[in-house]
Amino acid sequence: MIIGMLNQKGGVGKTTLSVNLAASLARTGARVLLIDADPQGSALDWAAARQGEPLFTVVGFPRATVHKELNHLGHGYDHIVIDGPPRVTDLARSVIMASEVVLIPVQPSPYDIWAAAEVVSLIQEAAIYKEALKSAFVINRRIANTVIGRDVKEALAAYPIPVFETTITQRVVFAEAAAQGLSVHEADPNGAATTEIEALRDELQRFAP
Ligand code: ADP
Ligand code: MG
């Protein structure tokens, strides 16, 4: 499966979810490639912070030809996760063209959800040429012990893109693990963050079998 993690907004969790989803897929025994398509190279920084064995391969490819190079780059891998760039550019378009499934992390705030209109239009543009393209929102940084507000649900329902049932809660372990180049599973194997990431992988694999 080829998964693009995309939102032109920064700080929504593209890199956090890319790294942890890649780790979760790798834990199933699959060969996983993470392509860092953000010129900032955060996923590469994550990999560089890591000591010990890699869980999966990370390569940097922040160029608008990623969809053309994917066959070559991704040769021999079962799953490819592409950590997308901020901003709407040809690079973001290329990531969509490369993907089978686009996941859009959004924070549960009306402002973030309104801002998602941009990435939704990009996906709709691409869907004209790529009928099989699938996409879904993933709510990230939900505040623990709160429900997603009705305003947020209504705003999301206005888009023609489904919302994953799995939500990822705001948890400090995501940042703590990242600082050491670890997945949350490695930092806190029995923690709630790990359970949520496993649920995300499971829902993704049911969404795009
Ligand atoms: P993006 O790649 O979209 O810019 P990042 O994944 O870098 O976003 O996340 C931005 C910041 O928010 C980082 O410091 C990251 O550690 C933190 N973060 C992301 N998701 C969570 C979460 N669920 N809980 C806590 N911190 C998070
Ligand atoms: Mg990032």
Side-chain angles (χ1 to χ4, degrees):
M1 182 174 9
I2 306 165
I3 306 130
M5 200 68 76
L6 211 69
N7 191 328
Q8 81 287 349
K9 214 170 184 296
V12 296
K14 293 182 290 295
T15 302
T16 302
L17 298 188
S18 292
V19 157
N20 284 291
L21 185 61
S24 177
L25 288 165
R27 272 172 35 77
T28 68
R31 291 161 300 177
V32 180
L33 174 69
L34 174 56
I35 299 178
D36 189 344
D38 180 351
Q40 276 209 319
S42 308
L44 288 172
D45 290 340
W46 176 86
R50 188 175 174 87
Q51 289 169 339
E53 286 295 299
L55 289 172
F56 50 85
T57 308
V58 185
V59 297
F61 200 91
R63 293 195 284 284
T65 51
V66 63
H67 62 296
K68 293 183 185 157
E69 299 293 331
L70 201 74
N71 272 345
H72 175 65
L73 284 170
H75 184 77
Y77 290 96
D78 302 310
H79 300 299
I80 302 168
V81 179
I82 310 174
D83 182 11
R87 290 186 298 281
V88 173
T89 56
D90 285 347
L91 176 51
R93 289 189 180 85
S94 179
V95 170
I96 297 175
M97 292 311 283
S99 301
E100 291 165 338
V101 186
V102 175
L103 292 184
I104 310 166
V106 285
Q107 299 179 81
S109 125
Y111 303 108
D112 284 60
I113 286 161
W114 293 326
E118 276 192 76
V119 62
V120 170
S121 330
L122 262 190
I123 287 171
Q124 286 181 313
E125 239 174 66
I128 296 169
Y129 307 98
K130 225 184 137 139
E131 275 178 33
L133 181 67
K134 291 190 162 193
S135 55
F137 288 111
V138 180
I139 292 178
N140 181 34
R141 309 190 81 166
R142 185 174 69 81
I143 305 300
N145 306 317
T146 60
V147 291
I148 301 299
R150 201 188 339 165
D151 50 348
V152 166
K153 280 190 182 157
E154 278 174 5
L156 272 175
Y159 294 121
I161 288 184
V163 185
F164 270 11
E165 215 171 286
T166 307
T167 59
I168 308 294
T169 306
Q170 167 81 26
R171 294 183 202 276
V172 71
V173 67
F174 280 105
E176 285 172 351
Q180 303 172 72
L182 298 176
S183 66
V184 289
H185 179 269
E186 293 169 296
D188 189 12
N190 300 314
T194 302
T195 306
E196 288 177 348
I197 292 294
E198 290 300 286
L200 176 64
R201 178 189 46 74
D202 189 64
E203 186 165 2
L204 172 66
Q205 289 184 315
R206 280 184 281 122
F207 182 67

